[in-house]
Amino acid sequence: MTEPTPTKIDMDKLVSLCQRRGFIFPSSEIYGGLSSCWDYGPLGVELKRNIKQAWWQAVVQQRDDMAGLDASILMHPQIWAASGHLEGFSDPLVECKNCHLRWRADELKGNTCPSCGGELTEPRQFNLMFKTFMGPVEEEASVVYLRPETAQGMFVNFLNVLDTTRKKLPFGIAQIGKSFRNEITTGNFIFRSREFEQMEIEFFVKPGTDKEWFDYWLDERLNWYVKLGIKKDNLKLRQHMKKELAHYALDCYDIEYLFPMGWSELEGIANRGDFDLTQHAKYSGKNMDYFDEETKEHFIPYIIEPSAGVDRSALAFLCDAYAEEPDKEEIRVLLHLHPTLAPYKAAVLPLSRRENLVAAARKVHADLRQCWMVSYDDAQSIGRRYRRQDEIGTPFCITIDFQSLEDEQVTIRDRDSMNQIRVPIDTLKTTLAAKLSGEELFVLPPGGKIWLEEKKG
Ligand code: ATP
């Protein structure tokens, strides 16, 4: 199979657009920044909310076999003993600067990465978890950790969810939340940071059906990215080699995306077997068995875990959406973001700042923002305003001109094709809703017509 051609997106350009237009800023910037921490600005926060909402809709809202959860970040420290995080991350570690695999320094034979031959960092007694203290006294007994993954919150609530929802296997728990890792190597913008957000599913199944469910989730999750606009050629599945598998995993695949720095993990999907519930049963003393009423069997469920990152998804969606197109003498920069993800669904643009036009435009804006995030812009020429909206991925611009005052119609301009249609104001909401849900609208609303001067910027 031939590898897809590498993406042309330049990370520096994307970082600059994100900062210039208010998607993402370096954290604590006026103090010189804080390494590998990022703040999502007015547009970034909308993009992130839309990604999380799309994920929640697909994996919780539209399914019978899933329940949501929001567990606390600080958890009982024994959880990290049971999960293996305390032990697993307290060795002297070196990390490959190229592929980021970590190795026990005391087990290494050479001084290069055994996997790819890359250069290694200096060894450090390293625990990936951020440690803090609970209560007023800073002593060993009050140590707690910022969670390095959201998963454990779902394992330890397995019985609570089972009892309160009366769900039967197979079923899953889904959670979105912040995680913290004191990463050795960070970088590549929001790809690897020390504070990040995860969207994780723990899907509990009967042992023996795990392989089938594993394949199901690989498919499901890959398609989620494609449905939201990521080009298929920029995605691939990579199975972990045996020696790469985490201590708990029976099998694991990464969904990789062709980021500007190369193919890298976007989401990990693991078959965790019965490791987690067995460990928590052992450490907590609680019985974590599931009773199958049909077969009258007791067993510990196996877990399939699709684990995605909100920030990495945001980066992938932004990279995939970024485009530069020749436009007369200039270059049109645009984000082809899927309408579901676009920070603003539309922008209302009065042709001039004349009082009567502004009043009509404000009315349209007030009406549309009841349903969606809609921007309002009356500064500079209409062409410039279109470009500004293109650059932040706004799918539709609604222009109110002098004719609108007479015929009660407005123009809708499509970001990608730059085509325009003219529709009556009282059908604007339904037209926009149809367009945002992907309808081509060959049939226009009553009174609507194709705008004659197509592509007039
Ligand atoms: P990597 O090796 O690339 O750091 P990982 O294999 O340690 O990632 P997992 O533990 O599988 O990552 O976490 C699941 C998902 O959480 C990842 O696919 C990624 O999207 C996200 N994620 C993990 N660590 C980070 C981080 N430091 N910054 C941003 N996102 C992260």
Side-chain angles (χ1 to χ4, degrees):
M1 206 175 82
T2 52
E3 292 272 291
T5 45
T7 174
K8 301 273 188 310
I9 289 112
D10 174 25
M11 188 75 103
D12 291 342
K13 272 189 187 166
L14 189 73
V15 173
S16 147
L17 185 149
C18 283
Q19 183 148 10
R20 188 163 34 84
R21 300 308 313 272
F23 278 93
I24 299 160
F25 309 120
S27 161
S28 323
E29 200 180 0
I30 59 167
Y31 286 93
L34 180 66
S35 163
S36 79
C37 293
W38 301 93
D39 296 344
Y40 286 77
L43 297 182
V45 69
E46 295 300 334
L47 172 65
K48 226 174 151 192
R49 278 163 54 92
N50 293 339
I51 291 172
K52 291 187 276 186
Q53 174 65 13
W55 183 87
W56 195 264
Q57 225 167 42
V59 309
V60 181
Q61 189 181 322
Q62 292 167 358
R63 299 182 66 104
D64 292 328
D65 57 2
M66 198 77 80
L69 187 78
D70 187 5
S72 67
I73 288 172
L74 301 175
M75 304 174 82
H76 197 292
Q78 272 296 92
I79 285 172
W80 308 113
S83 68
H85 282 88
L86 272 180
E87 199 188 333
F89 291 123
S90 61
D91 298 319
L93 294 183
V94 291
E95 182 168 317
C96 173
K97 290 181 181 173
N98 179 42
C99 70
H100 302 297
L101 286 178
R102 294 186 197 102
W103 308 93
R104 288 259 303 261
D106 51 349
E107 286 178 359
L108 270 181
K109 298 227 162 54
N111 53 6
T112 53
C113 172
S115 174
C116 73
E119 193 190 338
L120 298 167
T121 58
E122 285 299 305
R124 282 183 63 184
Q125 197 64 32
F126 207 80
N127 192 307
L128 217 61
M129 287 195 292
F130 282 95
K131 210 181 205 180
T132 186
F133 299 94
M134 197 138 168
V137 190
E138 293 195 5
E139 60 184 14
E140 214 35 46
S142 57
V143 164
V144 288
Y145 300 91
L146 301 188
R147 67 180 177 202
E149 58 180 30
T150 67
Q152 300 300 325
M154 293 180 270
F155 303 141
V156 301
N157 276 293
F158 170 66
L159 295 176
N160 283 338
V161 174
L162 190 64
D163 290 347
T164 52
T165 62
R166 309 179 64 80
K167 290 215 182 292
K168 298 200 177 4
L169 290 192
F171 80 91
I173 306 181
Q175 169 162 242
I176 300 176
K178 287 261 176 152
S179 294
F180 303 82
R181 294 183 193 176
N182 201 0
E183 299 278 8
I184 308 174
T185 50
T186 55
N188 289 320
F189 197 26
I190 52 173
F191 178 81
R192 187 179 286 102
S193 45
R194 296 201 166 99
E195 173 180 340
F196 55 98
E197 222 167 343
Q198 290 185 306
M199 309 183 280
E200 295 196 295
I201 298 168
E202 305 303 333
F203 202 76
F204 303 90
V205 303
K206 191 173 176 176
T209 66
D210 48 308
K211 289 199 172 63
E212 202 181 302
W213 279 108
F214 186 66
D215 291 345
Y216 168 86
W217 278 110
L218 283 181
D219 218 40
E220 195 69 12
R221 293 302 306 141
L222 196 64
N223 284 336
W224 184 77
Y225 293 103
V226 176
K227 270 188 217 148
L228 286 173
I230 296 217
K231 293 169 208 78
K232 268 195 179 142
D233 279 356
N234 286 339
L235 289 167
K236 72 174 182 192
L237 287 172
R238 185 184 71 82
Q239 187 173 21
H240 281 208
M241 292 174 291
K242 273 252 152 16
K243 62 179 180 192
E244 218 187 325
L245 282 177
H247 59 282
Y248 51 76
L250 301 178
D251 198 359
C252 186
Y253 275 77
D254 287 344
I255 297 179
E256 293 193 336
Y257 177 74
L258 191 51
F259 287 100
M261 64 284 186
W263 288 104
S264 309
E265 175 179 340
L266 176 59
E267 170 163 350
I269 300 167
N271 180 349
R272 303 180 66 114
D274 63 2
F275 176 81
D276 306 284
L277 294 183
T278 305
Q279 285 295 100
H280 286 302
K282 192 164 128 196
Y283 278 73
S284 68
K286 290 275 181 305
N287 180 5
M288 305 289 271
D289 277 3
Y290 175 81
F291 177 62
D292 189 326
E293 281 163 18
E294 273 174 30
T295 60
K296 309 289 178 216
E297 287 172 289
H298 287 270
F299 56 85
I300 299 237
Y302 273 25
I303 296 175
I304 309 301
E305 178 194 68
S307 171
V310 180
D311 313 81
R312 275 191 204 175
S313 299
L315 184 58
F317 286 123
L318 284 167
C319 288
D320 225 71
Y322 185 89
E324 292 177 4
E325 288 178 359
D327 179 37
K328 295 176 197 137
E329 268 87 78
E330 292 179 9
I331 296 283
R332 178 167 91 113
V333 174
L334 74 162
L335 292 180
H336 287 287
L337 285 172
H338 191 284
T340 305
L341 302 181
Y344 290 119
K345 308 304 174 202
V348 173
L349 317 174
L351 203 59
S352 90
R353 283 180 174 164
R354 290 264 191 86
E355 213 177 298
N356 47 357
L357 217 51
V358 166
R362 284 282 179 205
K363 195 158 170 285
V364 168
H365 184 223
D367 193 33
L368 294 181
R369 72 199 305 192
Q370 303 288 325
C371 306
W372 302 286
M373 285 297 297
V374 177
S375 160
Y376 182 92
D377 187 3
D378 61 6
Q380 297 180 313
S381 76
I382 193 74
R384 286 233 180 153
R385 283 183 266 165
Y386 284 154
R387 295 293 170 274
R388 274 206 292 273
Q389 296 300 329
D390 290 343
E391 206 187 24
I392 62 170
T394 308
F396 301 106
C397 285
I398 293 151
T399 314
I400 286 109
D401 53 27
F402 291 103
Q403 205 190 328
S404 307
L405 301 176
E406 286 161 26
D407 65 6
E408 291 277 304
Q409 297 204 2
V410 292
T411 300
I412 304 179
R413 172 203 182 255
D414 177 82
R415 174 195 68 202
D416 297 343
S417 66
M418 295 196 277
N419 284 344
Q420 305 186 355
I421 56 169
R422 199 153 168 92
V423 299
I425 292 176
D426 60 5
T427 63
L428 186 56
K429 252 192 200 165
T430 46
T431 309
L432 203 57
K435 281 202 141 295
L436 286 167
S437 69
E439 275 182 49
E440 288 281 345
L441 279 192
F442 291 118
V443 182
L444 289 169
K449 57 181 188 217
I450 303 276
W451 187 243
L452 293 176
E453 294 167 79
E454 275 183 13
K455 294 204 175 191
K456 190 178 174 191

